[in-house]
Amino acid sequence: MKAVGVVVEYNPFHNGHFYHVSQSKDRSNADVVIAVMSGNFLQRGEPAVIDKWHRTKMALKNGVDIVIELPYAFCTGHATFFAEGAIQLLEAIGCTNFAFGSEEGTIHPFLNTFTLLKSHEEQYNALIKQYVSTGISYPQSLFKAYEELRQKEQGHTIDLSKPNNILGYHYIEAAKRLNLNIEPMTIPRIQAGFHDDINTESTIASATGIRKAIFEQQSLEEIVQFVPDETYMLLEEWQNKYISFIQWETFWPYLRFAILRHTPEQLTRFADVSEGIEFALSKAAKKSNSFNQFMTLIKSKRYTWTRLQRMLTHIFTGITKEQLHNSSKLSYIRLLGMTKNGQAYLSKHKKQFPLPLISRVASTNDPMLLLDIRATDMYALGVEMASGELIAGDYQTPPIRL
Amino acid sequence: MKAVGVVVEYNPFHNGHFYHVSQSKDRSNADVVIAVMSGNFLQRGEPAVIDKWHRTKMALKNGVDIVIELPYAFCTGHATFFAEGAIQLLEAIGCTNFAFGSEEGTIHPFLNTFTLLKSHEEQYNALIKQYVSTGISYPQSLFKAYEELRQKEQGHTIDLSKPNNILGYHYIEAAKRLNLNIEPMTIPRIQAGFHDDINTESTIASATGIRKAIFEQQSLEEIVQFVPDETYMLLEEWQNKYISFIQWETFWPYLRFAILRHTPEQLTRFADVSEGIEFALSKAAKKSNSFNQFMTLIKSKRYTWTRLQRMLTHIFTGITKEQLHNSSKLSYIRLLGMTKNGQAYLSKHKKQFPLPLISRVASTNDPMLLLDIRATDMYALGVEMASGELIAGDYQTPPIRL
């Protein structure tokens, strides 16, 4: 059986995702679609609006056959590392292709960009250095250096100011760097931009727009046209049980408690907390009554919102630099759910997987898996605090079967 | 002006305390009564039912002239260390006497016991060792060894099975060991035993009985006859503002979060967490939905309830073995409140104090004071979680003046 892989967060699953899944399957002629999905904490350093089990169900009801979890170490990492973990997992589970959505929409410009940057690596790095030295931020310097190189190139290359082009490039770069066999494909994104508000004349909105509508309107009616029925029902189910959708604001009392329980010096033990910021974190946490107020106090030119949120994720989960450092090697495939079709694929192919397929965890010493368990536990405590309802135990429950 | 010192927790202040304060003043012919009081965490490893500011007011309205804070490092320590901190502070603030309540009621038997144990130190230690080797617990072995020595003694010695006699003995022992000039006195305790339930035919009940009535009845009516009017009013004020009186159960969500945010190995960094118990703590915290359930799971013959609660206090406040170790030297007198009379005493004598008198804290590097600030912050977060109401900032507010 042929499998195509997708890298997703589904926060939450919407019509654009549905389009991407069906296109990926059709264009690759695959029998199954396998999604590698972030767990309860996401790449932008945020807790997911609903937990990974609900998001897995959304996926399985809408064309995905197998959902596996991207370990915490990768899904809270920077783009290069995130991509490395995701693409390695898709290769390990036997996908012949992976398909990402992009503004560009065709694959050759991505490959041209890769060739351009690899063949001019020294020049590229020198240009970046030069821009940084003029006081421009690192991401901006990268972009300017790339634009300068690009002008000299004959072939069509991608626009790296577009967020989905950037993500896609990281996937391709990871696959090439790690010498993987998995082949990249891209599906053009339709309509919604990355940061758009929802547009009532369309049926496509970005996940960002959908989350904004959920949190600002406190009602699901606004989003009904942008999500499949099953997403709507699962969001409703969550809301009935856990009262609020999850955002940093929901977890703020615990996050503040976690920050203030340590001296600034002790805070630097946690992953991504870089020297200097710890004093600002302590000071701001004492003064703030909300996450938003806190972020306003610690935000500065030096740190992007995402970078700050990632530090806060690690402080919240209590995960240290040492723990993260010891968890850089992928050692398992964690199964979150499967359809009958997915199950048939796994039965047929799992003996060839180079990594063990984990359905349930009794006890483990795997440092990477221990981080996943920790992150899940802390997310569950946060949800419980907000709702009084306990989330079903994670590593004792079997994968979802549809 | 002559000052007599008392060592207190006032959790909460009741008629028995009132009797003790007035007797201490009368019998010592003192002009002022100075109380050294535990802050928000107490010797049995529990948060106080109401914060130290309310307890300070109760004291000042009922005969105490000056309240100073026993630093966190001492008030969460074992009896020897607790006594050492308290008696040193009373000497430092110029008290000529300290007066403790006891079942014994006169001071000579205490001094006889001290002489007996010091003059038979080797024999005493050998007896303890012998009893321990038969499998009897350490406190029980102490008691049996003492009883054996005591039978050979002519003079009247104290009964060390009585909790207030034990405390008093520790104060005397600390004063002698540290060569302090302060003189011990004792006031006989009236009626209520240490662990009694309240008795409606009396006006005296123990603080334990009063707390039990408060928590079990969820109403203050039950205790009206056992506390001065001002205590009643201040308890009512607290209840109106913060909804619940504080016990471990109130702080349970934060305590559980604090435990689960660390690996068992990391938990051993916190003060008093002795090797071995960390695995039980992690396991039990995962399973428990209440503090009581948690304690039932971790309680064993090896650990007393008090010892477990002290560990949990340090985990809750995030205070490590290293931090506590670096905070063993008394370096300040922290003033919580004073009457006019108390103020007159301080104006007259403070220049002779060997330690600085602290009213407000701007910023500090004193390791012991940093622990007090931390403990206060964490207590305040716990109260805020339960009530939605912030406790007034501690180290920015001036002492209470009545």
Side-chain angles (χ1 to χ4, degrees), chain A residues 253-254 256 260-263 269 286 315 374 377-378 384, chain B residues 253-254 256 260-263 269 286 315 374 377-378 381 384:
Chain A
Y254 275 154
R256 186 180 48 161
L260 294 177
R261 237 181 110 247
H262 301 282
T263 61
R269 279 202 215 118
K286 281 208 179 198
I315 292 176
R374 167 75 66 81
D377 284 344
M378 303 323 276
E384 191 185 346
Chain B
Y254 274 153
R256 186 179 48 161
L260 294 177
R261 241 181 108 245
H262 301 282
T263 61
R269 278 203 216 117
K286 281 208 178 197
I315 292 176
R374 168 73 68 82
D377 284 345
M378 302 323 276
L381 288 184
E384 191 186 344

PDB file of all heavy atoms in Angstrom, chain A residues 253-254 256 260-263 269 286 315 374 377-378 384, chain B residues 253-254 256 260-263 269 286 315 374 377-378 381 384:
ATOM      1  N   PRO A 253      -2.635  31.234  35.566  1.00  0.00           N
ATOM      2  CA  PRO A 253      -2.311  31.065  36.993  1.00  0.00           C
ATOM      3  C   PRO A 253      -1.197  30.043  37.225  1.00  0.00           C
ATOM      4  O   PRO A 253      -0.298  30.283  38.029  1.00  0.00           O
ATOM      5  CB  PRO A 253      -3.637  30.600  37.610  1.00  0.00           C
ATOM      6  CG  PRO A 253      -4.689  31.136  36.699  1.00  0.00           C
ATOM      7  CD  PRO A 253      -4.079  31.062  35.308  1.00  0.00           C
ATOM      8  N   TYR A 254      -1.232  28.937  36.515  1.00  0.00           N
ATOM      9  CA  TYR A 254      -0.168  27.940  36.659  1.00  0.00           C
ATOM     10  C   TYR A 254       1.167  28.451  36.107  1.00  0.00           C
ATOM     11  O   TYR A 254       2.216  28.202  36.678  1.00  0.00           O
ATOM     12  CB  TYR A 254      -0.540  26.645  35.931  1.00  0.00           C
ATOM     13  CG  TYR A 254      -1.386  25.684  36.736  1.00  0.00           C
ATOM     14  CD1 TYR A 254      -2.232  24.784  36.108  1.00  0.00           C
ATOM     15  CD2 TYR A 254      -1.331  25.647  38.127  1.00  0.00           C
ATOM     16  CE1 TYR A 254      -3.003  23.887  36.830  1.00  0.00           C
ATOM     17  CE2 TYR A 254      -2.101  24.756  38.852  1.00  0.00           C
ATOM     18  CZ  TYR A 254      -2.935  23.873  38.208  1.00  0.00           C
ATOM     19  OH  TYR A 254      -3.687  22.985  38.919  1.00  0.00           O
ATOM     20  N   ARG A 256       2.207  31.534  35.899  1.00  0.00           N
ATOM     21  CA  ARG A 256       2.753  32.515  36.829  1.00  0.00           C
ATOM     22  C   ARG A 256       3.328  31.825  38.063  1.00  0.00           C
ATOM     23  O   ARG A 256       4.422  32.152  38.527  1.00  0.00           O
ATOM     24  CB  ARG A 256       1.676  33.519  37.242  1.00  0.00           C
ATOM     25  CG  ARG A 256       2.241  34.629  38.099  1.00  0.00           C
ATOM     26  CD  ARG A 256       1.183  35.631  38.510  1.00  0.00           C
ATOM     27  NE  ARG A 256       0.014  34.957  39.026  1.00  0.00           N
ATOM     28  CZ  ARG A 256      -0.921  35.537  39.781  1.00  0.00           C
ATOM     29  NH1 ARG A 256      -0.825  36.831  40.075  1.00  0.00           N
ATOM     30  NH2 ARG A 256      -1.948  34.864  40.219  1.00  0.00           N
ATOM     31  N   LEU A 260       7.215  32.085  39.330  1.00  0.00           N
ATOM     32  CA  LEU A 260       7.560  32.677  40.631  1.00  0.00           C
ATOM     33  C   LEU A 260       8.098  31.660  41.634  1.00  0.00           C
ATOM     34  O   LEU A 260       8.640  32.030  42.666  1.00  0.00           O
ATOM     35  CB  LEU A 260       6.350  33.417  41.207  1.00  0.00           C
ATOM     36  CG  LEU A 260       5.929  34.651  40.405  1.00  0.00           C
ATOM     37  CD1 LEU A 260       4.683  35.284  41.005  1.00  0.00           C
ATOM     38  CD2 LEU A 260       7.069  35.672  40.342  1.00  0.00           C
ATOM     39  N   ARG A 261       7.956  30.372  41.323  1.00  0.00           N
ATOM     40  CA  ARG A 261       8.478  29.327  42.210  1.00  0.00           C
ATOM     41  C   ARG A 261       9.993  29.179  42.082  1.00  0.00           C
ATOM     42  O   ARG A 261      10.602  28.388  42.798  1.00  0.00           O
ATOM     43  CB  ARG A 261       7.825  27.993  41.844  1.00  0.00           C
ATOM     44  CG  ARG A 261       7.116  27.334  43.003  1.00  0.00           C
ATOM     45  CD  ARG A 261       6.533  26.016  42.559  1.00  0.00           C
ATOM     46  NE  ARG A 261       7.237  24.907  43.158  1.00  0.00           N
ATOM     47  CZ  ARG A 261       7.981  24.048  42.511  1.00  0.00           C
ATOM     48  NH1 ARG A 261       8.149  24.141  41.212  1.00  0.00           N
ATOM     49  NH2 ARG A 261       8.559  23.075  43.159  1.00  0.00           N
ATOM     50  N   HIS A 262      10.593  29.898  41.149  1.00  0.00           N
ATOM     51  CA  HIS A 262      12.033  29.780  40.955  1.00  0.00           C
ATOM     52  C   HIS A 262      12.707  31.143  41.066  1.00  0.00           C
ATOM     53  O   HIS A 262      12.085  32.158  40.764  1.00  0.00           O
ATOM     54  CB  HIS A 262      12.343  29.201  39.572  1.00  0.00           C
ATOM     55  CG  HIS A 262      11.745  27.846  39.343  1.00  0.00           C
ATOM     56  ND1 HIS A 262      12.294  26.700  39.866  1.00  0.00           N
ATOM     57  CD2 HIS A 262      10.644  27.461  38.678  1.00  0.00           C
ATOM     58  CE1 HIS A 262      11.552  25.663  39.513  1.00  0.00           C
ATOM     59  NE2 HIS A 262      10.538  26.084  38.790  1.00  0.00           N
ATOM     60  N   THR A 263      13.972  31.139  41.461  1.00  0.00           N
ATOM     61  CA  THR A 263      14.755  32.364  41.364  1.00  0.00           C
ATOM     62  C   THR A 263      15.039  32.607  39.879  1.00  0.00           C
ATOM     63  O   THR A 263      15.009  31.665  39.082  1.00  0.00           O
ATOM     64  CB  THR A 263      16.115  32.228  42.083  1.00  0.00           C
ATOM     65  OG1 THR A 263      16.846  31.167  41.448  1.00  0.00           O
ATOM     66  CG2 THR A 263      15.932  31.887  43.556  1.00  0.00           C
ATOM     67  N   ARG A 269      17.592  27.359  33.910  1.00  0.00           N
ATOM     68  CA  ARG A 269      17.712  25.910  33.675  1.00  0.00           C
ATOM     69  C   ARG A 269      16.732  25.406  32.631  1.00  0.00           C
ATOM     70  O   ARG A 269      16.957  24.389  31.999  1.00  0.00           O
ATOM     71  CB  ARG A 269      17.387  25.146  34.969  1.00  0.00           C
ATOM     72  CG  ARG A 269      18.516  25.090  35.913  1.00  0.00           C
ATOM     73  CD  ARG A 269      18.326  23.901  36.868  1.00  0.00           C
ATOM     74  NE  ARG A 269      18.832  24.286  38.163  1.00  0.00           N
ATOM     75  CZ  ARG A 269      18.107  24.361  39.265  1.00  0.00           C
ATOM     76  NH1 ARG A 269      16.832  24.033  39.249  1.00  0.00           N
ATOM     77  NH2 ARG A 269      18.662  24.743  40.386  1.00  0.00           N
ATOM     78  N   LYS A 286       5.355  38.941  38.668  1.00  0.00           N
ATOM     79  CA  LYS A 286       4.864  39.500  39.934  1.00  0.00           C
ATOM     80  C   LYS A 286       3.803  40.555  39.699  1.00  0.00           C
ATOM     81  O   LYS A 286       2.864  40.698  40.467  1.00  0.00           O
ATOM     82  CB  LYS A 286       6.022  40.141  40.717  1.00  0.00           C
ATOM     83  CG  LYS A 286       6.880  39.145  41.445  1.00  0.00           C
ATOM     84  CD  LYS A 286       7.519  39.800  42.677  1.00  0.00           C
ATOM     85  CE  LYS A 286       8.361  38.773  43.418  1.00  0.00           C
ATOM     86  NZ  LYS A 286       8.648  39.167  44.798  1.00  0.00           N
ATOM     87  N   ILE A 315       8.971  26.427  30.577  1.00  0.00           N
ATOM     88  CA  ILE A 315       8.840  26.738  32.012  1.00  0.00           C
ATOM     89  C   ILE A 315       7.558  26.096  32.547  1.00  0.00           C
ATOM     90  O   ILE A 315       7.548  25.488  33.613  1.00  0.00           O
ATOM     91  CB  ILE A 315       8.827  28.264  32.254  1.00  0.00           C
ATOM     92  CG1 ILE A 315      10.196  28.856  31.929  1.00  0.00           C
ATOM     93  CG2 ILE A 315       8.438  28.583  33.701  1.00  0.00           C
ATOM     94  CD1 ILE A 315      10.262  30.369  32.041  1.00  0.00           C
ATOM     95  N   ARG A 374       5.190  14.160  30.126  1.00  0.00           N
ATOM     96  CA  ARG A 374       5.170  15.335  30.996  1.00  0.00           C
ATOM     97  C   ARG A 374       4.293  16.441  30.405  1.00  0.00           C
ATOM     98  O   ARG A 374       3.443  17.027  31.083  1.00  0.00           O
ATOM     99  CB  ARG A 374       6.596  15.853  31.208  1.00  0.00           C
ATOM    100  CG  ARG A 374       6.657  17.246  31.842  1.00  0.00           C
ATOM    101  CD  ARG A 374       6.346  17.247  33.312  1.00  0.00           C
ATOM    102  NE  ARG A 374       7.361  16.542  34.028  1.00  0.00           N
ATOM    103  CZ  ARG A 374       8.550  17.068  34.375  1.00  0.00           C
ATOM    104  NH1 ARG A 374       8.794  18.323  34.098  1.00  0.00           N
ATOM    105  NH2 ARG A 374       9.454  16.357  34.995  1.00  0.00           N
ATOM    106  N   ASP A 377       0.684  15.639  30.711  1.00  0.00           N
ATOM    107  CA  ASP A 377       0.213  15.779  32.094  1.00  0.00           C
ATOM    108  C   ASP A 377      -0.017  17.243  32.461  1.00  0.00           C
ATOM    109  O   ASP A 377      -1.007  17.584  33.102  1.00  0.00           O
ATOM    110  CB  ASP A 377       1.243  15.189  33.077  1.00  0.00           C
ATOM    111  CG  ASP A 377       1.221  13.666  33.097  1.00  0.00           C
ATOM    112  OD1 ASP A 377       0.243  13.082  32.598  1.00  0.00           O
ATOM    113  OD2 ASP A 377       2.185  13.067  33.615  1.00  0.00           O
ATOM    114  N   MET A 378       0.903  18.111  32.085  1.00  0.00           N
ATOM    115  CA  MET A 378       0.786  19.508  32.475  1.00  0.00           C
ATOM    116  C   MET A 378      -0.368  20.194  31.730  1.00  0.00           C
ATOM    117  O   MET A 378      -1.084  21.016  32.293  1.00  0.00           O
ATOM    118  CB  MET A 378       2.106  20.260  32.227  1.00  0.00           C
ATOM    119  CG  MET A 378       3.317  19.670  32.933  1.00  0.00           C
ATOM    120  SD  MET A 378       3.033  18.998  34.600  1.00  0.00           S
ATOM    121  CE  MET A 378       3.173  20.451  35.574  1.00  0.00           C
ATOM    122  N   GLU A 384      -7.830  20.960  33.609  1.00  0.00           N
ATOM    123  CA  GLU A 384      -8.593  20.612  34.809  1.00  0.00           C
ATOM    124  C   GLU A 384      -8.819  21.834  35.692  1.00  0.00           C
ATOM    125  O   GLU A 384      -9.902  22.025  36.242  1.00  0.00           O
ATOM    126  CB  GLU A 384      -7.864  19.520  35.593  1.00  0.00           C
ATOM    127  CG  GLU A 384      -8.744  18.935  36.684  1.00  0.00           C
ATOM    128  CD  GLU A 384      -8.027  17.934  37.565  1.00  0.00           C
ATOM    129  OE1 GLU A 384      -6.933  17.478  37.198  1.00  0.00           O
ATOM    130  OE2 GLU A 384      -8.577  17.631  38.638  1.00  0.00           O
TER     131      GLU A 384
ATOM    132  N   PRO B 253      -4.330  22.201  44.030  1.00  0.00           N
ATOM    133  CA  PRO B 253      -4.011  22.226  42.593  1.00  0.00           C
ATOM    134  C   PRO B 253      -2.588  22.734  42.304  1.00  0.00           C
ATOM    135  O   PRO B 253      -1.885  22.171  41.471  1.00  0.00           O
ATOM    136  CB  PRO B 253      -5.064  23.181  42.015  1.00  0.00           C
ATOM    137  CG  PRO B 253      -6.208  23.095  42.980  1.00  0.00           C
ATOM    138  CD  PRO B 253      -5.576  22.930  44.338  1.00  0.00           C
ATOM    139  N   TYR B 254      -2.158  23.779  43.020  1.00  0.00           N
ATOM    140  CA  TYR B 254      -0.795  24.284  42.825  1.00  0.00           C
ATOM    141  C   TYR B 254       0.255  23.287  43.332  1.00  0.00           C
ATOM    142  O   TYR B 254       1.306  23.115  42.718  1.00  0.00           O
ATOM    143  CB  TYR B 254      -0.600  25.612  43.556  1.00  0.00           C
ATOM    144  CG  TYR B 254      -1.032  26.841  42.769  1.00  0.00           C
ATOM    145  CD1 TYR B 254      -1.438  27.998  43.427  1.00  0.00           C
ATOM    146  CD2 TYR B 254      -1.010  26.856  41.385  1.00  0.00           C
ATOM    147  CE1 TYR B 254      -1.824  29.130  42.723  1.00  0.00           C
ATOM    148  CE2 TYR B 254      -1.393  27.981  40.670  1.00  0.00           C
ATOM    149  CZ  TYR B 254      -1.798  29.123  41.344  1.00  0.00           C
ATOM    150  OH  TYR B 254      -2.163  30.238  40.646  1.00  0.00           O
ATOM    151  N   ARG B 256       0.026  20.041  43.512  1.00  0.00           N
ATOM    152  CA  ARG B 256       0.122  18.927  42.571  1.00  0.00           C
ATOM    153  C   ARG B 256       0.868  19.350  41.312  1.00  0.00           C
ATOM    154  O   ARG B 256       1.735  18.630  40.805  1.00  0.00           O
ATOM    155  CB  ARG B 256      -1.274  18.425  42.204  1.00  0.00           C
ATOM    156  CG  ARG B 256      -1.225  17.187  41.338  1.00  0.00           C
ATOM    157  CD  ARG B 256      -2.604  16.673  40.995  1.00  0.00           C
ATOM    158  NE  ARG B 256      -3.452  17.739  40.527  1.00  0.00           N
ATOM    159  CZ  ARG B 256      -4.565  17.567  39.828  1.00  0.00           C
ATOM    160  NH1 ARG B 256      -4.974  16.346  39.549  1.00  0.00           N
ATOM    161  NH2 ARG B 256      -5.279  18.575  39.439  1.00  0.00           N
ATOM    162  N   LEU B 260       4.285  17.607  39.918  1.00  0.00           N
ATOM    163  CA  LEU B 260       4.328  16.946  38.606  1.00  0.00           C
ATOM    164  C   LEU B 260       5.191  17.683  37.588  1.00  0.00           C
ATOM    165  O   LEU B 260       5.504  17.137  36.534  1.00  0.00           O
ATOM    166  CB  LEU B 260       2.905  16.740  38.074  1.00  0.00           C
ATOM    167  CG  LEU B 260       2.062  15.765  38.907  1.00  0.00           C
ATOM    168  CD1 LEU B 260       0.649  15.665  38.351  1.00  0.00           C
ATOM    169  CD2 LEU B 260       2.707  14.378  38.930  1.00  0.00           C
ATOM    170  N   ARG B 261       5.571  18.925  37.893  1.00  0.00           N
ATOM    171  CA  ARG B 261       6.434  19.676  36.987  1.00  0.00           C
ATOM    172  C   ARG B 261       7.886  19.212  37.046  1.00  0.00           C
ATOM    173  O   ARG B 261       8.731  19.700  36.299  1.00  0.00           O
ATOM    174  CB  ARG B 261       6.389  21.163  37.372  1.00  0.00           C
ATOM    175  CG  ARG B 261       5.863  22.054  36.289  1.00  0.00           C
ATOM    176  CD  ARG B 261       5.893  23.489  36.753  1.00  0.00           C
ATOM    177  NE  ARG B 261       6.930  24.218  36.075  1.00  0.00           N
ATOM    178  CZ  ARG B 261       7.990  24.729  36.663  1.00  0.00           C
ATOM    179  NH1 ARG B 261       8.166  24.599  37.942  1.00  0.00           N
ATOM    180  NH2 ARG B 261       8.865  25.388  35.940  1.00  0.00           N
ATOM    181  N   HIS B 262       8.191  18.313  37.961  1.00  0.00           N
ATOM    182  CA  HIS B 262       9.569  17.854  38.105  1.00  0.00           C
ATOM    183  C   HIS B 262       9.655  16.335  37.978  1.00  0.00           C
ATOM    184  O   HIS B 262       8.696  15.644  38.296  1.00  0.00           O
ATOM    185  CB  HIS B 262      10.118  18.257  39.472  1.00  0.00           C
ATOM    186  CG  HIS B 262      10.109  19.734  39.717  1.00  0.00           C
ATOM    187  ND1 HIS B 262      11.052  20.581  39.180  1.00  0.00           N
ATOM    188  CD2 HIS B 262       9.265  20.520  40.418  1.00  0.00           C
ATOM    189  CE1 HIS B 262      10.780  21.825  39.552  1.00  0.00           C
ATOM    190  NE2 HIS B 262       9.707  21.821  40.302  1.00  0.00           N
ATOM    191  N   THR B 263      10.797  15.853  37.546  1.00  0.00           N
ATOM    192  CA  THR B 263      11.045  14.419  37.621  1.00  0.00           C
ATOM    193  C   THR B 263      11.267  14.072  39.096  1.00  0.00           C
ATOM    194  O   THR B 263      11.636  14.948  39.889  1.00  0.00           O
ATOM    195  CB  THR B 263      12.313  14.024  36.845  1.00  0.00           C
ATOM    196  OG1 THR B 263      13.433  14.697  37.439  1.00  0.00           O
ATOM    197  CG2 THR B 263      12.236  14.430  35.381  1.00  0.00           C
ATOM    198  N   ARG B 269      15.869  17.850  44.931  1.00  0.00           N
ATOM    199  CA  ARG B 269      16.559  19.129  45.143  1.00  0.00           C
ATOM    200  C   ARG B 269      15.893  19.968  46.218  1.00  0.00           C
ATOM    201  O   ARG B 269      16.521  20.823  46.831  1.00  0.00           O
ATOM    202  CB  ARG B 269      16.501  19.961  43.855  1.00  0.00           C
ATOM    203  CG  ARG B 269      17.540  19.582  42.874  1.00  0.00           C
ATOM    204  CD  ARG B 269      17.819  20.747  41.929  1.00  0.00           C
ATOM    205  NE  ARG B 269      18.093  20.224  40.619  1.00  0.00           N
ATOM    206  CZ  ARG B 269      17.366  20.455  39.545  1.00  0.00           C
ATOM    207  NH1 ARG B 269      16.313  21.241  39.610  1.00  0.00           N
ATOM    208  NH2 ARG B 269      17.685  19.906  38.409  1.00  0.00           N
ATOM    209  N   LYS B 286      -0.074  11.991  40.689  1.00  0.00           N
ATOM    210  CA  LYS B 286      -0.781  11.686  39.439  1.00  0.00           C
ATOM    211  C   LYS B 286      -2.173  11.140  39.708  1.00  0.00           C
ATOM    212  O   LYS B 286      -3.113  11.399  38.961  1.00  0.00           O
ATOM    213  CB  LYS B 286      -0.010  10.642  38.623  1.00  0.00           C
ATOM    214  CG  LYS B 286       1.152  11.219  37.870  1.00  0.00           C
ATOM    215  CD  LYS B 286       1.439  10.397  36.610  1.00  0.00           C
ATOM    216  CE  LYS B 286       2.582  11.006  35.825  1.00  0.00           C
ATOM    217  NZ  LYS B 286       2.650  10.530  34.453  1.00  0.00           N
ATOM    218  N   ILE B 315       8.420  22.046  48.553  1.00  0.00           N
ATOM    219  CA  ILE B 315       8.126  21.823  47.126  1.00  0.00           C
ATOM    220  C   ILE B 315       7.183  22.924  46.633  1.00  0.00           C
ATOM    221  O   ILE B 315       7.374  23.488  45.562  1.00  0.00           O
ATOM    222  CB  ILE B 315       7.514  20.427  46.892  1.00  0.00           C
ATOM    223  CG1 ILE B 315       8.564  19.341  47.170  1.00  0.00           C
ATOM    224  CG2 ILE B 315       6.986  20.292  45.458  1.00  0.00           C
ATOM    225  CD1 ILE B 315       8.030  17.920  47.067  1.00  0.00           C
ATOM    226  N   ARG B 374       9.761  34.811  49.102  1.00  0.00           N
ATOM    227  CA  ARG B 374       9.260  33.752  48.232  1.00  0.00           C
ATOM    228  C   ARG B 374       8.037  33.060  48.854  1.00  0.00           C
ATOM    229  O   ARG B 374       6.999  32.871  48.213  1.00  0.00           O
ATOM    230  CB  ARG B 374      10.352  32.711  47.982  1.00  0.00           C
ATOM    231  CG  ARG B 374       9.854  31.413  47.326  1.00  0.00           C
ATOM    232  CD  ARG B 374       9.501  31.569  45.883  1.00  0.00           C
ATOM    233  NE  ARG B 374      10.700  31.811  45.150  1.00  0.00           N
ATOM    234  CZ  ARG B 374      11.551  30.860  44.752  1.00  0.00           C
ATOM    235  NH1 ARG B 374      11.282  29.602  45.002  1.00  0.00           N
ATOM    236  NH2 ARG B 374      12.645  31.163  44.092  1.00  0.00           N
ATOM    237  N   ASP B 377       5.014  35.205  48.689  1.00  0.00           N
ATOM    238  CA  ASP B 377       4.479  35.275  47.317  1.00  0.00           C
ATOM    239  C   ASP B 377       3.676  34.025  46.972  1.00  0.00           C
ATOM    240  O   ASP B 377       2.614  34.104  46.357  1.00  0.00           O
ATOM    241  CB  ASP B 377       5.622  35.425  46.305  1.00  0.00           C
ATOM    242  CG  ASP B 377       6.206  36.833  46.282  1.00  0.00           C
ATOM    243  OD1 ASP B 377       5.552  37.751  46.823  1.00  0.00           O
ATOM    244  OD2 ASP B 377       7.307  37.007  45.742  1.00  0.00           O
ATOM    245  N   MET B 378       4.197  32.875  47.328  1.00  0.00           N
ATOM    246  CA  MET B 378       3.535  31.633  46.943  1.00  0.00           C
ATOM    247  C   MET B 378       2.235  31.451  47.720  1.00  0.00           C
ATOM    248  O   MET B 378       1.231  30.988  47.187  1.00  0.00           O
ATOM    249  CB  MET B 378       4.467  30.428  47.140  1.00  0.00           C
ATOM    250  CG  MET B 378       5.787  30.493  46.376  1.00  0.00           C
ATOM    251  SD  MET B 378       5.722  31.235  44.732  1.00  0.00           S
ATOM    252  CE  MET B 378       5.229  29.868  43.745  1.00  0.00           C
ATOM    253  N   LEU B 381      -0.300  33.624  46.048  1.00  0.00           N
ATOM    254  CA  LEU B 381      -0.822  33.041  44.806  1.00  0.00           C
ATOM    255  C   LEU B 381      -1.865  31.975  45.109  1.00  0.00           C
ATOM    256  O   LEU B 381      -2.883  31.877  44.422  1.00  0.00           O
ATOM    257  CB  LEU B 381       0.304  32.404  43.983  1.00  0.00           C
ATOM    258  CG  LEU B 381       1.289  33.339  43.283  1.00  0.00           C
ATOM    259  CD1 LEU B 381       2.258  32.522  42.446  1.00  0.00           C
ATOM    260  CD2 LEU B 381       0.570  34.344  42.391  1.00  0.00           C
ATOM    261  N   GLU B 384      -4.997  33.664  46.122  1.00  0.00           N
ATOM    262  CA  GLU B 384      -5.607  34.295  44.954  1.00  0.00           C
ATOM    263  C   GLU B 384      -6.315  33.268  44.068  1.00  0.00           C
ATOM    264  O   GLU B 384      -7.407  33.519  43.561  1.00  0.00           O
ATOM    265  CB  GLU B 384      -4.545  35.031  44.142  1.00  0.00           C
ATOM    266  CG  GLU B 384      -5.171  35.923  43.084  1.00  0.00           C
ATOM    267  CD  GLU B 384      -4.152  36.551  42.169  1.00  0.00           C
ATOM    268  OE1 GLU B 384      -2.954  36.554  42.489  1.00  0.00           O
ATOM    269  OE2 GLU B 384      -4.571  37.042  41.105  1.00  0.00           O
TER     270      GLU B 384
END
